[in-house]
Amino acid sequence: MTTRLRSLYLECAAATLLTATALVLTLHPLSAGEASNRIVAVGGSVTEVVFALEEQHRLVARDSTSVHPQEAHDLPDIGYIRALSPEGVLSVDPDLLLMLDGSGPQEAVDVLEKSGIAIANVPNEFTPEGIVAKIRTVGEALGVPDKANALAQKTEADLQTAQEQAAGRNDNIRVLFVLSTRGGRIMAGGADTAANGIITLAGAKNAVSEFSGYKQLSDEAILSAMPDVVLMMDREGDHSASADDLFSHPALAQTPAGKANRLLKMPGDYLLGFGPRTADAIQDLAQNLSEIRS
């Protein structure tokens, strides 16, 4: 084959591949999954699913939010899910990247998509259906759909049981999820967040569901929210906050939660992960809310 013909052939092949990828994007990572044995998991719940499927022997790295199970800590850490470095990911020579929706920054994702590595984009919806979809997506990408189907069915049943047990227990409890209190400013979780999802599944009401995402609250907004309980991630160091520190905030001190000193903390990856352990998290949150009110 002449050099010119070889060039034309390669150009046509590349064009065909790009067209097929654009038309059937989800098939790209799935078809590559069966032969993938150097996998990077980005997203704590994604890593948990891989372990739950007993496919962790194929992992070569994970992101910094992947802290469960404990064995995940033995893997190289390629950085925070929203601050990925292409160089860090590529340094472990992966052949498949399991990437939770919301990973970034977008510039890094663009570079990784052009690198030739197979990428499976894993959905991250904060509902029972979203968890099941997450499990099935990871299972398909790994080439173990039967194992994923079994895990999905068990998880779906567990989630249904957890919701049934939580139903009616916390109907009148208004919960304010506080993401941070840095500088005395209250950053809270509104609608379309993992916090809103888990509060709702536990049978309670998000005190600030009028807006989407995480937002800094004014004193007026806090007083209007009137939470019965404040929910936070159990953190250490600069991100931690005791009940005394939290309720020294002038507006929070005037709420039912502040007056009764009602602060509930749970591990962030467990509370907000929306993965295989979420049914247990729903039950624990529902029980804790019920006890803290009484």
Side-chain angles (χ1 to χ4, degrees):
M1 183 181 293
T2 67
T3 301
R4 177 55 181 165
L5 287 175
R6 184 184 298 275
S7 177
L8 287 172
Y9 173 80
L10 292 175
E11 289 175 5
C12 291
T16 301
L17 177 60
L18 288 172
T19 300
T21 302
L23 292 174
V24 200
L25 183 59
T26 56
L27 292 182
H28 172 58
L30 303 188
S31 61
E34 295 183 7
S36 298
N37 287 298
R38 296 191 58 81
I39 300 167
V40 172
V42 178
S45 60
V46 173
T47 301
E48 287 191 35
V49 171
V50 175
F51 273 84
L53 293 172
E54 299 183 341
E55 295 294 324
Q56 64 270 18
H57 57 281
R58 298 163 66 184
L59 290 173
V60 294
R62 48 93 188 185
D63 78 308
S64 60
T65 69
S66 299
V67 296
H68 182 88
Q70 182 62 36
E71 291 84 351
H73 291 260
D74 296 333
L75 294 165
D77 183 346
I78 50 89
Y80 180 57
I81 182 172
R82 293 185 179 85
L84 297 174
S85 160
E87 294 80 8
V89 176
L90 296 174
S91 68
V92 296
D93 191 27
D95 53 22
L96 174 63
L97 179 59
L98 299 174
M99 185 178 292
L100 190 66
D101 282 354
S103 301
Q106 188 58 49
E107 294 81 4
V109 174
D110 291 342
V111 171
L112 292 169
E113 287 178 343
K114 295 175 182 177
S115 70
I117 298 173
I119 297 177
N121 294 305
V122 182
N124 192 31
E125 296 181 4
F126 309 121
T127 63
E129 296 79 10
I131 296 172
V132 170
K134 182 181 296 183
I135 292 170
R136 294 189 187 282
T137 299
V138 172
E140 289 289 341
L142 296 179
V144 289
D146 291 342
K147 293 171 71 172
N149 184 56
L151 178 61
Q153 290 181 349
K154 179 183 183 302
T155 302
E156 189 172 29
D158 291 344
L159 287 165
Q160 182 174 346
T161 298
Q163 290 177 86
E164 290 172 351
Q165 293 177 349
R169 296 176 64 183
N170 302 305
D171 287 345
N172 300 317
I173 298 183
R174 296 175 62 83
V175 181
L176 178 68
F177 177 80
V178 174
L179 180 65
S180 70
T181 60
R182 184 172 298 177
R185 296 183 293 272
I186 303 299
M187 184 74 70
D192 303 315
T193 62
N196 183 80
I198 198 70
I199 290 169
T200 302
L201 291 173
K205 177 177 176 57
N206 185 359
V208 289
S209 58
E210 296 80 12
F211 60 86
S212 295
Y214 294 93
K215 180 179 177 182
Q216 183 178 319
L217 299 183
S218 65
D219 288 356
E220 292 77 11
I222 293 172
L223 291 171
S224 177
M226 278 293 159
D228 299 300
V229 178
V230 172
L231 175 63
M232 296 184 71
M233 290 185 285
D234 194 1
R235 293 174 166 180
E236 298 179 354
D238 294 338
H239 296 290
S240 65
S242 67
D244 289 341
D245 292 336
L246 181 68
F247 295 127
S248 65
H249 188 283
L252 275 176
Q254 299 179 55
T255 66
K259 292 176 181 178
N261 209 43
R262 296 193 191 109
L263 171 62
L264 176 60
K265 291 185 176 183
M266 294 176 65
D269 62 303
Y270 179 57
L271 180 69
L272 306 178
F274 278 79
R277 296 184 294 158
T278 296
D280 291 337
I282 292 170
Q283 292 178 320
D284 287 348
L285 178 57
Q287 179 65 29
N288 288 334
L289 288 174
S290 179
E291 291 177 355
I292 204 169
R293 179 177 62 174
S294 60

